[in-house]
DNA sequence: TTGTAGGCGTTATCAA
DNA sequence: TTGATAACGCCTACAA
């Protein structure tokens, strides 16, 4: 079996208490003793058992994240980056990251969250893709379970969150398009239940209003955040009698789908149709033509989210419970015409 | 505090033993008692503490996966799908998935693996992006720690693995290109240290040999598995005096980068230059033109890998320690000309 | 079929 | 500055 604290203590002829305290950096242990303990531990390959420590400390030293897998074949590059950020920040703080997945609002989602909460498998949870009247928020708040949200859920409950100003981003994007001479600007949306959809859409409408352009309801189509959804919505919009000259996707994948719809009917993106997205995923730099987008620093956001979560877990007050970052408008050839 | 097994026992006026056994499905407990226990547990919201159970059982009921984050801004869609597969299969088997990340062969990678192994934080580990003479394999084998590899490492040590036949895939791809009249076929490779690179490159060469085409060393360029790497390598290849008429990327991202390099110099992909990749990520269906690729069922592979790993953890023998799947050649317009 | 009791490996309290 | 000892919550021989 693995070497335990008792083995180290026996070897050194000290008590297990001493070993424990020496290793955890308490200051009431003689430096000489500490040095001996540390050396012996390393030599003997002693690493404290996580399970025992958890049991005693009542802390899992882990945080959880549940992927909102909307699709059977799920592969949003956004989440690879997000998870890398979560994992890196957690690791530097000596926490582990548990990842699971569940389709949003599906029954299995509920069990997934409850399992972690009830069994204290994790000390806190990171939420993303916030929804209107999100049951996860209600549930976690009721259980007094630490969590932090990426995105700002609207609702009665106070939620520590970090988000990107989707409305402001969209306003600046619309302004950019108007400046390029566009008046007929369409929007491919996502489910209205999604918080960032509402926010970005609001920015789109406000942007139009600011330019004195009347909102044309037929210029809003709904996708599902995937390329395929964007493609289908794009086809519908481009089949309109008086079709738009610019189309904004609620996210980059959607916009990429729109580009394909355009090129399929021989429309040149950039000169004959402007297309733009939101997220700033790496793909956008490599589409043909490169895609204008609103970049959000996903990796850093993830790290910051973990930082906030750990503070909450430690019981510290957050100096800033609602961090709001500005997305960066990256203008590329897809809106160059 | 959370409700414990003792609370349930007290409530029901039975011993904690009875509660424990009733819940774990032992058959030496009266059905009536079991029913009462189960109902009371649910009503009281009792879920066994993972920490206590782990300590007692000496099992973490968790598996680990460490993302090979080669880039600062890391976002390979391959891994989002892979993680979703790992997480789903683990969850259905009542295991948790721990995710961390580390740059391949960096010192921190070693600590990341060792931490989990030493502290028994996880019961097994899934390995990917196998390398030549992989220290992880040596280390885990030496520690008798359960693991399974995605990809077939060549080496002295017997490694349970699931892989996709990259060589066969590349042979069929080359055959396809030759059939379309191509003779000058280039390859954008990855680090030769990577197992699948060696394998796919071998397939490329074998494919050329089968068609009696001499290998032109200048037709091999090295990328880094990213779109940018592919773009740069593509530019080099296309600047060659007698440039290739077809370029194969060792993975899809690389191929996507090559496409951009081509369109940048006004070469039409499909008619004037054939491009193909490997992986079958969703992007390939939405590039312009859509990209020919070798599809590997990443999600299912991940699930199967977990299945194999759990068998190893349970101490069962694997009926098939080396699963080899065939990639599926998906021919699209990028090689249509 | 049920209950008693010991121990998994730590950390924390208290006394020395 | 160190040590003995009691939990933490659960599982499992063994006894009843």
């Amino acid at each position: 079996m693995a070497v335990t604290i008792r083995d180290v203590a026996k070897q050194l002829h000290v008590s297990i208490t001493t070993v424990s305290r020496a290793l955890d950096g308490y200051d009431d242990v003689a430096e000489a003793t500490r040095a001996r303990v540390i050396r012996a531990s390393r030599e003997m390959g002693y690493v404290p058992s996580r399970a025992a420590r958890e049991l005693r400390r009542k802390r899992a030293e882990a945080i959880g994240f549940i992927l909102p897998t909307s699709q059977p074949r799920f592969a949003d590059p956004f989440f690879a980056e997000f998870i890398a950020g979560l994992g890196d920040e957690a690791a530097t703080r000596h926490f582990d990251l548990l990842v699971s997945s569940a389709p949003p609002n599906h029954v299995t989602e509920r069990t997934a969250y409850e399992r972690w909460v009830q069994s204290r498998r994790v000390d806190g949870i990171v939420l993303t893709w916030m929804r209107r009247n999100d049951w996860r928020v209600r549930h976690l708040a009721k259980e007094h379970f630490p969590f932090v949200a990426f995105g700002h859920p609207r609702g009665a409950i106070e939620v520590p969150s970090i988000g990107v100003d989707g409305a402001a981003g969209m306003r600046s994007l619309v302004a950019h398009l108007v400046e390029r001479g566009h008046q007929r600007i369409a929007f491919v949306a996502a489910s209205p239940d999604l918080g960032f959809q509402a926010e970005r859409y609001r920015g789109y409408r406000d942007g139009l209003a600011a330019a004195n352009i009347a909102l044309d309801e037929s210029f809003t189509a709904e996708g599902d955040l995937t390329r395929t959804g964007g493609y289908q919505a794009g086809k519908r919009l481009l089949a309109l009698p008086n079709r738009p000259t610019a189309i904004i996707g609620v996210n980059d994948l959607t916009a990429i789908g729109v580009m394909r719809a355009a090129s399929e009917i021989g429309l040149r993106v950039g000169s004959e149709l402007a297309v733009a997205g939101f997220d700033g995923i790496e793909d956008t730099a490599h589409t043909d033509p490169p895609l204008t987008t609103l970049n959000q620093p996903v990796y850093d956001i993830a790290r910051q989210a973990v930082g906030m979560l750990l503070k909450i877990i430690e019981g510290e007050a957050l100096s800033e419970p609602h961090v709001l970052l500005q997305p960066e408008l990256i203008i590329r050839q897809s809106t160059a015409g």
Side-chain angles (χ1 to χ4, degrees), chain A:
Chain A
M1 218 42 250
V3 29
T4 78
I5 195 173
R6 230 176 289 273
D7 301 324
V8 180
K10 200 163 293 175
Q11 170 89 7
L12 259 41
H13 300 291
V14 297
S15 73
I16 58 174
T17 312
T18 305
V19 176
S20 175
R21 314 184 69 148
L23 257 26
D24 273 3
Y26 281 67
D27 55 0
D28 59 354
V29 45
E31 275 314 317
T33 316
R34 187 198 305 284
R36 284 172 58 219
V37 169
I38 289 177
R39 206 161 62 88
S41 299
R42 189 164 31 223
E43 276 169 10
M44 302 175 68
Y46 167 67
V47 177
S49 145
R50 289 296 287 250
R53 164 189 284 242
E54 276 177 37
L55 178 59
R56 185 60 234 229
R57 286 223 187 136
K58 291 170 165 293
R59 272 267 221 111
E61 280 170 28
I63 59 173
F65 175 65
I66 295 183
L67 273 169
T69 38
S70 42
Q71 301 287 314
R73 180 139 195 201
F74 171 85
D76 193 326
F78 173 92
F79 286 108
E81 193 174 349
F82 194 68
I83 289 176
L86 295 178
D88 286 351
E89 185 62 23
T92 57
R93 313 291 210 89
H94 300 288
F95 266 65
D96 278 313
L97 171 68
L98 268 67
V99 177
S100 188
S101 77
N105 287 324
H106 194 265
V107 273
T108 55
E109 185 185 48
R110 187 152 202 130
T111 13
Y113 279 95
E114 276 175 356
R115 224 171 23 127
W116 280 352
V117 172
Q118 302 287 346
S119 67
R120 301 276 149 177
R121 187 78 224 257
V122 298
D123 301 315
I125 290 183
V126 177
L127 256 34
T128 183
W129 277 18
M130 305 313 293
R131 321 198 265 261
R132 203 155 49 187
N133 192 15
D134 205 313
W135 75 264
R136 301 173 298 175
V137 170
R138 290 202 311 276
H139 181 68
L140 296 175
K142 206 185 74 189
E143 300 278 338
H144 300 288
F145 200 85
F147 71 99
V148 56
F150 173 33
H152 298 287
R154 323 177 150 282
I157 300 172
E158 155 71 17
V159 175
S161 60
I162 177 167
V164 163
D165 195 338
M170 282 300 178
R171 280 197 302 270
S172 68
L173 177 55
V174 171
H176 158 68
L177 291 170
V178 169
E179 196 182 319
R180 295 283 164 122
H182 294 280
Q183 292 281 316
R184 296 204 305 287
I185 304 172
F187 190 89
V188 180
S191 158
D193 196 38
L194 242 32
F196 66 80
Q197 152 62 28
E199 197 181 294
R200 293 177 194 176
Y201 189 60
R202 187 160 50 79
Y204 160 71
R205 284 184 322 194
D206 290 352
L208 290 183
N212 286 314
I213 300 174
L215 179 72
D216 182 341
E217 294 286 352
S218 70
F219 275 5
T220 298
E222 188 172 326
D224 61 0
L225 298 171
T226 69
R227 296 178 186 81
T228 305
Y231 168 75
Q232 289 161 349
K235 270 176 73 164
R236 287 200 298 279
L237 289 171
L238 294 173
L240 252 30
N242 195 13
R243 72 178 176 216
T245 63
I247 301 181
I248 297 173
V250 65
N251 70 341
D252 285 336
L253 296 184
T254 297
I256 289 170
V258 169
M259 285 179 69
R260 186 159 70 92
S263 76
E264 206 174 88
I265 60 169
L267 265 185
R268 296 193 45 144
V269 172
S271 49
E272 295 169 322
L273 176 75
V275 178
F278 197 119
D279 273 354
I281 62 176
E282 209 199 338
D283 307 49
T284 57
H286 300 266
T287 52
D288 183 21
L291 184 70
T292 292
T293 186
L294 286 152
N295 184 54
Q296 42 183 350
V298 177
Y299 180 83
D300 293 324
I301 288 171
R303 296 198 73 140
Q304 270 198 62
V306 172
M308 292 172 71
L309 183 55
L310 294 192
K311 278 206 171 166
I312 297 172
I313 291 172
E314 309 285 358
E316 291 176 42
L318 291 176
S319 54
E320 209 183 341
H322 303 288
V323 179
L324 188 61
L325 306 176
Q326 289 305 318
E328 175 202 8
L329 179 59
I330 301 179
I331 296 172
R332 298 211 186 90
Q333 288 175 45
S334 71
T335 58

